[in-house]
Amino acid sequence: MRKIFLAVLLIGFIAYAGINFSENLTPYVSIAEATASNKNVQVKGLLDKNFEPQQSGGEFLFNLRDEFTGETLSVKYSGIKPDRFDAAYHVIAIGKYNSAEEIFHAQKLLVKCPSKYEGQQAQ
Amino acid sequence: MTGQTPTILLGGALTSTATLAWMFFKNEQAEMRHLKILTLVSMAIIAAISLWLWFLIFTDDFTTYYVAQYSSRDLPAMYKISVFWAGQAGSLLFWLLIHAMIGSILAYHNAPMKAMGVYFSVQCLLNFLVVLNSPFWENPIAQDDGFGLNPLLQDPWMAIHPPLVFAGYAILAVPLSLSLGNLLESSSKKWLEPARKWTLIASVLLGAGIFIGGYWAYKVLGWGGYWAWDPVENSSLVPWLVSVVLLHLIILSKKKSAVLPMAHIAAVFTYSLVIYGTFLTRSGVLGEFSVHSFASSKISLAIALVNAIIFLGGLLIILIKAKDFPRGRMYENFKDPAYATLLGMLMLVFIAIVVWLGMSAPLILQFFGKAAAVSPTFYEAVTKPLALIMAAIMIYIFVKVGWQISFGGKIAHLGVLAGVAAMIISAQGETVDRIFMNNIEVDVFGHKFTYNGQIFETDSCRKFYVFNVDGQEVRALTKLRENGDDAAREPAILRNFTGDIYIAPNPNSFRPQELILDKGRFQMDGEIGYTFKSVEVKHVDDKYLESITAEIEVTDGVTTENVQLLINFRREGAISYPVEFLNGKRRIRLIGVSDDRLKLRLEILPTLEEISQLPIIATISTKPFIWVLWLSAAAVCAGTLAAVKK
């Protein structure tokens, strides 16, 4: 009886962990895939220099551009512009695409800089 | 010169270690005296190599690639010490150094021969990794100054965090060696007491390293609080959790022989997970999943190989010796404290599995087509119930047989209980973003906040955002780069009995205005007149840009000044130094020069005075009773350390 109880508890826990695992899985996708998906994803792109990033209150807006196809994606990050954002060459946005607003809502941003000491490049 | 001698010495160390491993396995007791001396020789070679690296760091030898990457001339001495372990190659050498030192201690404490054989075999593998990835490689380019240590890491806490973690990693090889050595020699319980002590020492060091890392992550911005479930954090958490399991199984094994096989398995798993964590954070596979920037490494395959040798080799020895293990019951009945302890350890194993799965997800899922990571919500949702069950079990054991637990054990366990409670309570705080105008009071969460602007230190290396909360002044530090940009930011923290008020100011964003000057022509911008006088462009070997120096004359009609503008080029980018003139009236920097050198492009930046008056957005949060968490972490370490001496 006790063994059955323990087995049920164990299976229950594995199921709970499994559901949480798949729910919180954020696949790594392209911009095209991100706009087609209604799940949490992480999308990587270059900063679109044609659009000036804006901070309005607690929201930060910027555009990502696909490195290969050139497609762009408007991203709204609920938070403040991350450190070293301007020096970034790649930005990884983690969140979900809202097709009604045509905006990607990011909860987290990972900023990838070319090196730890990149300065302003002379033109 | 740089690379040759230490590389030969590294080869010498590898040879002596391999000889030692072989001789210990041969088990010639008569030669013990010589073997002890040989362990000292082997350790001395590695110590000499390490001192050599420190010497190169302190003498600013930028012909060594590693030194050029992580050090610089102006780095304070304290951080030059920590340059040693700032990168992968150096941290592996540091690990080897601690491992070799412990090896000599073991030899002089007459550790069993076979255990020493295993220990020095592991040292061979570590030494092999250092040979493959030496910090002594020559710099392919000539450099006058190094790139310096990441400003975020120039922090006293960060100077001691890595050596503690690596010392913990190194010492976890001792229980592994004692366990496997015992199986190879004669299965007995003699290994348990020394293994208990060494596991305690290792888990204190590793635990202290993890806690200090967490405290540092809390008091800087950009790491997402004391624990962000980042792969680099998780990869040290998993071996620590498993080392705690190992410790309890060793203690239980003394009374219940049937637990012995599990203790052996735990010893193998603990050390294998140490190597696995190193592999995961060094392989580059997590590069897109972590705040930490990982460089993919050439030796990741070698680390994977070492991991496989230790893990499979260890399990094989246990399997071969399985028939000799004592039989019996692990616990008498369900009221036996041993049963509750095992159940508690099962919870800890579950937590370790959950974290392991989460951090390995990108690696595992890559094999199934699409790489993916799990968000922190997964870890929090799944580990919280497990931690609560474990806490309940601990309270049960305390009530039942608390008097049997040693003083140190009591402190450590109370620390864990308080820590679990503090983690849950401190997460109940509130967070809000607010705009602050200079000297205007704002009410947030029942506290009165006033922002009093920014203060720049005279050398412009650091600045502070000054806040006043309920009459008390707090400052948020921002370290600045040479070009005036933010390099590393810290929050302002007001510490109270009821918890911390945590203020994270966000950098001002402004669009600098550009100004193009024609050579020799007088131009006005606002009330300031500029004349571009001369420019000098220097090259290295007539090939690469080295620096651009421009001289301009500025005037406000009353005063005239000559201003020197400078861009310095380094391999990883250019630095343009902002210059303030006419008594702080204007601040500019040079950002370009035309090919014919007749036009200069300048950027007009806000003056320091203007910056300090700008309104800012700050994120305000409360962290109820967060100090209990720091206190409980200290209790866990102190208690565990006290338990070493039984």
Side-chain angles (χ1 to χ4, degrees):
Chain A
M1 189 58 199
R2 223 184 271 259
K3 274 188 180 156
I4 295 171
F5 173 71
L6 277 178
V8 169
L9 213 63
L10 191 67
I11 292 167
F13 175 74
I14 292 171
Y16 174 72
I19 290 166
N20 264 291
F21 185 83
S22 61
E23 266 181 5
N24 290 298
L25 210 54
T26 47
Y28 196 33
V29 300
S30 66
I31 286 180
E33 288 167 299
T35 50
S37 164
N38 56 359
K39 279 199 194 149
N40 257 333
V41 292
Q42 59 184 46
V43 56
K44 177 173 151 185
L46 303 167
L47 263 188
D48 184 10
K49 300 284 180 198
N50 296 324
F51 180 82
E52 185 69 24
Q54 298 166 8
Q55 179 80 54
S56 60
E59 281 171 345
F60 179 60
L61 292 162
F62 64 96
N63 276 5
L64 276 186
R65 189 166 55 79
D66 193 296
E67 204 172 344
F68 306 105
T69 64
E71 255 177 299
T72 58
L73 177 72
S74 303
V75 181
K76 182 154 89 181
Y77 168 57
S78 23
I80 311 289
K81 181 166 97 167
D83 283 342
R84 318 206 42 218
F85 186 86
D86 299 320
Y89 72 112
H90 274 143
V91 173
I92 296 163
I94 302 168
K96 205 187 272 186
Y97 184 70
N98 183 319
S99 46
E101 288 181 52
E102 295 190 342
I103 279 181
F104 186 84
H105 289 262
Q107 301 121 25
K108 194 176 171 189
L109 298 178
L110 299 181
V111 175
K112 295 286 156 186
C113 294
S115 82
K116 42 186 199 213
Y117 279 87
E118 190 76 321
Q120 183 97 24
Q121 200 71 42
Q123 290 150 22
Chain B
M1 169 65 188
T2 322
Q4 294 278 328
T5 319
T7 308
I8 294 166
L9 281 175
L10 277 172
L14 183 58
T15 318
S16 68
T17 315
T19 315
L20 270 168
W22 180 69
M23 287 172 81
F24 274 120
F25 273 130
K26 258 181 55 191
N27 210 355
E28 290 183 21
Q29 287 291 352
E31 289 172 20
M32 195 57 203
R33 204 166 57 90
H34 298 114
L35 283 179
K36 280 180 182 172
I37 294 169
L38 193 54
T39 58
L40 278 186
V41 171
S42 161
M43 194 261 291
I45 297 174
I46 293 163
I49 299 166
S50 305
L51 286 174
W52 194 303
L53 181 58
W54 262 311
F55 175 76
L56 294 176
I57 295 167
F58 273 92
T59 53
D60 296 323
D61 187 331
F62 301 120
T63 60
T64 307
Y65 183 70
Y66 189 81
V67 181
Q69 282 293 307
Y70 298 102
S71 190
S72 59
R73 290 187 190 280
D74 59 356
L75 196 67
M78 178 182 153
Y79 298 119
K80 281 199 172 164
I81 298 175
S82 62
V83 165
F84 192 107
W85 46 76
Q88 182 185 0
S91 49
L92 276 174
L93 176 59
F94 183 76
W95 182 342
L96 178 65
L97 174 67
I98 303 285
H99 189 102
M101 279 159 50
I102 302 295
S104 300
I105 296 174
L106 289 176
Y108 278 84
H109 277 77
N110 298 318
M113 299 292 261
K114 288 274 161 60
M116 292 302 287
V118 175
Y119 191 85
F120 280 95
S121 305
V122 173
Q123 186 168 322
C124 270
L125 295 173
L126 291 176
N127 202 330
F128 166 67
L129 292 180
V130 178
V131 171
L132 283 186
N133 191 20
S134 159
F136 294 97
W137 282 337
E138 228 164 287
N139 195 347
I141 60 153
Q143 246 174 290
D144 186 46
D145 200 354
F147 298 126
L149 192 65
N150 188 334
L152 203 59
L153 303 182
Q154 291 184 33
D155 184 296
W157 293 108
M158 257 301 124
I160 52 170
H161 158 80
L164 285 174
V165 170
F166 285 112
Y169 284 175
I171 296 173
L172 282 174
V174 183
L176 171 87
S177 307
L178 290 169
S179 147
L180 295 181
N182 181 264
L183 288 178
L184 291 172
E185 218 145 3
S186 62
S187 300
S188 74
K189 286 183 169 186
K190 264 196 294 186
W191 70 284
L192 290 171
E193 182 47 28
R196 184 191 71 90
K197 283 188 174 155
W198 285 106
T199 309
L200 277 169
I201 295 170
S203 56
V204 170
L205 291 169
L206 184 52
I210 292 170
F211 300 149
I212 285 172
Y215 181 73
W216 168 83
Y218 175 78
K219 65 160 221 78
V220 299
L221 294 170
W223 268 79
Y226 66 85
W227 200 261
W229 301 102
D230 192 88
V232 75
E233 297 171 333
N234 292 341
S235 69
S236 57
L237 176 67
V238 173
W240 182 67
L241 291 173
V242 182
S243 77
V244 174
V245 174
L246 168 64
L247 179 67
H248 287 80
L249 293 179
I250 287 174
I251 295 167
L252 273 181
S253 296
K254 287 183 167 184
K255 284 185 194 151
K256 317 267 180 187
S257 300
V259 182
L260 212 50
M262 290 207 296
H264 283 292
I265 293 171
V268 172
F269 264 91
T270 307
Y271 198 70
S272 303
L273 285 165
V274 163
I275 308 282
Y276 177 78
T278 310
F279 163 72
L280 206 60
T281 50
R282 300 301 183 194
S283 62
V285 62
L286 299 175
E288 309 293 1
F289 299 95
S290 167
V291 189
H292 205 261
S293 51
F294 296 107
S296 73
S297 135
K298 295 176 285 289
I299 65 157
S300 56
L301 196 69
I303 301 176
L305 191 71
V306 168
N307 200 0
I309 292 171
I310 291 170
F311 183 62
L312 297 175
L315 287 187
L316 190 71
I317 293 171
I318 294 173
L319 208 66
I320 291 169
K321 295 285 173 174
K323 58 180 187 329
D324 301 335
F325 282 130
R327 312 256 174 249
R329 295 170 70 93
M330 286 197 240
Y331 49 89
E332 298 311 319
N333 50 49
F334 298 120
K335 285 181 181 162
D336 188 346
Y339 177 71
T341 310
L342 285 169
L343 214 55
M345 288 308 106
L346 191 63
M347 293 302 123
L348 217 46
V349 170
F350 281 167
I351 295 175
I353 293 174
V354 166
V355 181
W356 184 88
L357 262 180
M359 74 175 187
S360 310
L363 184 68
I364 299 168
L365 293 170
Q366 246 176 15
F367 292 112
F368 295 100
K370 237 177 162 144
V374 283
S375 62
T377 327
F378 161 73
Y379 297 100
E380 277 153 26
V382 185
T383 57
K384 208 193 262 177
L386 292 170
L388 288 175
I389 297 171
M390 194 186 70
I393 293 170
M394 275 167 61
I395 294 170
Y396 170 79
I397 296 176
F398 250 100
V399 174
K400 288 284 277 187
V401 288
W403 49 273
Q404 282 184 2
I405 302 170
S406 68
F407 173 72
K410 277 192 196 106
I411 299 290
H413 285 92
L414 284 174
V416 173
L417 283 174
V420 171
M423 277 184 226
I424 294 169
I425 293 166
S426 66
Q428 309 305 316
E430 299 165 286
T431 300
V432 73
D433 290 327
R434 275 294 161 87
I435 295 177
F436 287 92
M437 311 297 242
N438 259 23
N439 303 320
I440 292 177
E441 197 178 88
V442 179
D443 200 85
V444 189
F445 306 137
H447 299 278
K448 294 191 183 344
F449 289 77
T450 317
Y451 170 58
N452 296 331
Q454 298 174 38
I455 297 176
F456 287 81
E457 276 191 353
T458 40
D459 56 356
S460 286
C461 280
R462 290 155 27 120
K463 68 172 181 180
F464 296 92
Y465 294 82
V466 183
F467 292 88
N468 192 297
V469 187
D470 299 330
Q472 276 176 279
E473 189 187 279
V474 280
R475 292 177 169 200
L477 165 71
T478 296
K479 294 177 188 167
L480 299 171
R481 243 170 257 286
E482 285 168 297
N483 65 2
D485 291 346
D486 291 358
R489 302 190 297 119
E490 292 184 10
I493 304 173
L494 181 69
R495 296 168 201 274
N496 280 325
F497 173 73
T498 51
D500 286 1
I501 295 170
Y502 193 92
I503 310 167
N506 298 285
N508 305 108
S509 49
F510 40 79
R511 280 201 81 167
Q513 196 194 326
E514 278 187 11
L515 179 67
I516 293 177
L517 297 183
D518 295 314
K519 194 165 186 178
R521 216 177 80 183
F522 178 81
Q523 277 163 271
M524 288 294 288
D525 179 68
E527 68 264 35
I528 312 281
Y530 299 84
T531 315
F532 163 25
K533 310 270 275 202
S534 66
V535 66
E536 190 189 1
V537 181
K538 273 194 194 158
H539 288 85
V540 185
D541 308 333
D542 294 329
K543 251 160 91 190
Y544 306 107
L545 275 172
E546 185 184 346
S547 67
I548 300 175
T549 323
E551 196 173 314
I552 58 170
E553 192 181 86
V554 293
T555 178
D556 59 356
V558 182
T559 322
T560 303
E561 278 178 25
N562 273 323
V563 176
Q564 288 259 359
L565 298 166
L566 172 69
I567 303 178
N568 258 336
F569 291 87
R570 293 183 182 173
R571 192 164 43 129
E572 293 197 323
I575 297 170
S576 178
Y577 300 84
V579 179
E580 223 172 29
F581 51 84
L582 296 173
N583 248 333
K585 234 181 203 167
R586 221 12 96 77
R587 188 161 158 259
I588 58 172
R589 67 178 173 190
L590 177 65
I591 55 165
V593 56
S594 62
D595 279 345
D596 56 10
R597 290 168 199 183
L598 294 174
K599 281 180 198 296
L600 282 188
R601 189 194 287 264
L602 305 180
E603 217 171 49
I604 300 178
L605 306 165
T607 63
L608 298 182
E609 179 60 27
E610 281 165 346
I611 291 175
S612 80
Q613 298 302 320
L614 286 173
I616 57 152
I617 304 172
T619 310
I620 311 283
S621 37
T622 54
K623 318 272 181 191
F625 296 100
I626 188 93
W627 59 270
V628 179
L629 188 58
W630 318 136
L631 194 69
S632 55
V636 170
C637 293
T640 315
L641 198 62
V644 174
K645 222 177 166 191
K646 207 180 178 182

